[in-house]
Amino acid sequence: MNPTLIEESSSKRIPHNLEALVKSLDGSPDVSPTNTNDLIAVLLYVLMMETGYSPINVGGTSISSSDHGFSIHKLNRFCNMPAIWKNIRQNNYEMTFTLGRFTQHPCRLLIISIDDEIIVNLLISNLNEERNGYSLGIQPSKYVVNPTSNCIPTKFRNLRDLSLRFKNSLSHPARSVILTKEGILNASLLGVPDEVKIKIFKYLKVSDLLKLSLVCSHLYTVTEEQGLWRYFLLRDFRCEDVEDLVNQPGINDIIIWKEEYKKRYTSVHIRRHKWHFRSDI
């Protein structure tokens, strides 16, 4: 099964949207897929979306006006880089994002190449605060080791380290500042980034998850996340045909994992004559 997040990547598997973005570079007239810095820029682009940001200036793709959380659907919608994201002459990069409905605070991601290092700046507009930006230094060779490989996952390594460093130093602090500025409390489950909520929810029983989904509309939305129900399907129905189903190419585009979980739950418990399936799943 392909991982959902960059930090879950291995030398054999990477998230679907990251793979699609790297492949899209092949068809770009102004970007070489063998360029290490290009691949770093693609990684950071995906990490911003994993933290709940949506890119702007991506042709033909609509952006939700209210969603500032993690969503596999959002990740998979953006399988192309923004229209203007690279300064070819200077080998620098610039991309702009918004966090949900808070479009008054666009965030500029600036990636500047200096010798063998990359300096990453995330600048937040219209904050009127003492600090409106965050910076991080990255050594590209630590994360992109084989840019010419025909096998995309082997181009990368140490992606968990890159993900944690970037999110802890840039995207999460910026997100927290914006939400606090707009009166969204962060010292609660609702303030925890959605990808962290999903990791927590994976430890729950499905019955407890359903109760949690009744708390508010935001938690309901998070508990409906496709990747979460795909995980529960694999966890609760350990059999070969489930693994084969989950690993089918393109299956995420045609199946609703919660409905698949419901069907299998119903089938198993009718056969056992123990429980009736709960109608609220």
Side-chain angles (χ1 to χ4, degrees):
M1 182 176 68
N2 279 0
T4 301
L5 302 173
I6 282 180
E7 67 183 65
E8 300 168 345
S9 300
S10 69
S11 60
K12 295 182 179 180
R13 296 184 183 275
I14 59 175
H16 168 75
N17 64 315
L18 174 59
E19 187 166 5
L21 283 165
V22 173
K23 288 180 179 178
S24 75
L25 298 185
D26 290 326
S28 175
D30 59 350
V31 176
S32 168
T34 61
N35 186 311
T36 295
N37 289 349
D38 289 348
L39 294 174
I40 291 291
V42 171
L43 287 167
L44 302 186
Y45 176 71
V46 175
L47 289 173
M48 285 292 288
M49 290 188 288
E50 286 185 3
T51 321
Y53 298 85
S54 295
I56 65 174
N57 297 326
V58 179
T61 305
S62 61
I63 299 175
S64 169
S65 61
S66 60
D67 180 19
H68 58 265
F70 170 81
S71 167
I72 291 179
H73 176 65
K74 179 193 293 186
L75 290 176
N76 289 336
R77 278 189 301 163
F78 296 104
C79 290
N80 290 289
M81 298 300 288
I84 301 175
W85 64 287
K86 178 182 178 181
N87 185 319
I88 302 174
R89 182 173 299 177
Q90 298 181 6
N91 199 29
N92 294 336
Y93 309 81
E94 179 174 346
M95 293 169 273
T96 305
F97 300 80
T98 57
L99 186 65
R101 67 180 183 274
F102 308 117
T103 55
Q104 67 273 30
H105 302 300
C107 299
R108 294 170 59 214
L109 183 68
L110 305 176
I111 305 170
I112 303 169
S113 176
I114 302 176
D115 297 326
D116 295 330
E117 188 177 27
I118 283 178
I119 304 300
V120 185
N121 296 307
L122 185 59
L123 306 177
I124 313 167
S125 299
N126 305 322
L127 272 186
N128 298 322
E129 301 287 341
E130 183 175 340
R131 182 168 187 179
N132 62 358
Y134 300 86
S135 296
L136 176 67
I138 292 175
Q139 290 184 323
S141 60
K142 184 176 179 180
Y143 306 109
V144 178
V145 293
N146 192 5
T148 61
S149 173
N150 292 326
C151 178
I152 293 178
T154 61
K155 294 176 184 285
F156 306 105
R157 73 176 178 189
N158 298 323
L159 293 188
R160 175 176 173 79
D161 177 71
L162 176 64
S163 175
L164 293 177
R165 289 187 63 209
F166 180 82
K167 289 180 179 179
N168 290 340
S169 300
L170 277 79
S171 59
H172 280 325
R175 183 180 189 274
S176 179
V177 165
I178 293 172
L179 294 179
T180 300
K181 178 72 174 178
E182 297 302 323
I184 307 296
L185 296 178
N186 284 289
S188 67
L189 180 60
L190 294 178
V192 173
D194 285 354
E195 72 269 23
V196 177
K197 291 191 190 79
I198 289 173
K199 288 184 178 181
I200 296 171
F201 294 169
K202 286 180 178 179
Y203 291 95
L204 298 178
K205 296 179 181 178
V206 167
S207 58
D208 293 331
L209 184 80
L210 295 172
K211 294 174 184 176
L212 184 65
S213 71
L214 301 176
V215 172
C216 66
S217 60
H218 176 70
L219 289 180
Y220 173 80
T221 300
V222 177
T223 60
E224 289 288 295
E225 176 59 47
Q226 274 272 77
L228 189 59
W229 286 95
R230 182 178 61 180
Y231 172 84
F232 285 138
L233 186 67
L234 283 167
R235 184 193 71 181
D236 297 345
F237 301 97
R238 293 179 177 272
C239 54
E240 187 174 335
D241 72 308
V242 170
E243 293 184 3
D244 290 342
L245 175 66
V246 168
N247 289 321
Q248 285 183 29
I251 190 66
N252 288 320
D253 298 328
I254 60 176
I255 196 168
I256 299 175
W257 293 114
K258 184 178 180 180
E259 293 301 315
E260 184 65 25
Y261 187 99
K262 181 190 296 186
K263 286 195 303 184
R264 290 177 182 270
Y265 184 100
T266 302
S267 175
V268 167
H269 289 83
I270 286 178
R271 287 201 306 268
R272 292 179 179 176
H273 301 288
K274 286 187 176 180
W275 302 300
H276 292 289
F277 183 71
R278 288 183 50 178
S279 61
D280 56 347
I281 290 187

